[in-house]
Amino acid sequence: WFWSRLGEHRDRINNLYFDFVFLLRALSKATPALKEFDFSTGNAEEDERTRVLVDRLLSSDLIGNCPASRTFDESLLFNGDFAGNPRVAEFRGHFRNVSRILDCVSCEKCRMWSKLQVLGLGTALKIYFWIMKFGLMNYN
């Protein structure tokens, strides 16, 4: 399965790698905010479990070993002024279009997984846009 769907297609492997690093870099940039975030659901046991899992994720080697110099430097893509950056509107528009297109996928399982993936990448973009808006691009 792997070889026929991914292994024979270098561009698909490259896209997976880019998505993975893009998400890791966004998570790395959001680490300070996530460490301070109050995960309060009203259930003390669930709150503690969530805190432990988030701390474990944020302290993993994957996050710590993902510097821009060796992977993906988002400042090259999202440089300049947030308000005047045409890429911000362009990315938002593309994500809306992709989401609308996914609504037309007839297989419910495929639609759900696709929407989940787009949601993850959209969340990463929101982190980058937030960092740009408040001038924190060089944080990590």
Side-chain angles (χ1 to χ4, degrees), residues 8 25 29 43 49 85 87-88 104 124 137:
E8 294 177 340
R25 291 289 301 147
K29 290 193 171 288
N43 180 332
R49 181 169 184 243
N85 193 327
R87 288 189 172 150
V88 172
C104 298
M137 188 50 83

Side-chain angles (χ1 to χ4, degrees), residues 34-90:
L34 290 171
K35 284 187 175 187
E36 298 297 321
F37 191 79
D38 179 24
F39 294 99
S40 194
T41 64
N43 180 332
E45 191 175 305
E46 283 298 314
D47 294 347
E48 181 58 25
R49 181 169 184 243
T50 300
R51 169 60 42 213
V52 167
L53 290 172
V54 168
D55 286 344
R56 187 184 312 165
L57 172 66
L58 297 177
S59 64
S60 74
D61 288 341
L62 281 175
I63 304 295
N65 291 327
C66 193
S69 61
R70 290 194 336 222
T71 54
F72 168 73
D73 185 359
E74 61 281 339
S75 67
L76 298 175
L77 182 61
F78 302 115
N79 57 2
D81 177 37
F82 176 80
N85 193 327
R87 288 189 172 150
V88 172
E90 182 182 341

Side-chain angles (χ1 to χ4, degrees), residues 8 21 26 46 72-73 86 97 117 127 130 132 137:
E8 294 177 340
V21 171
E46 283 298 314
F72 168 73
D73 185 359
N97 284 342
Q117 291 170 1
I127 291 169
W130 183 83
M132 282 175 59
M137 188 50 83

Side-chain angles (χ1 to χ4, degrees), residues 1 11 15 22 26 47-48 55 65 79-81 102 113 131:
W1 184 91
D11 59 323
N15 287 339
F22 190 78
D47 294 347
E48 181 58 25
D55 286 344
N65 291 327
N79 57 2
D81 177 37
L102 292 176
W113 282 112
I131 289 168

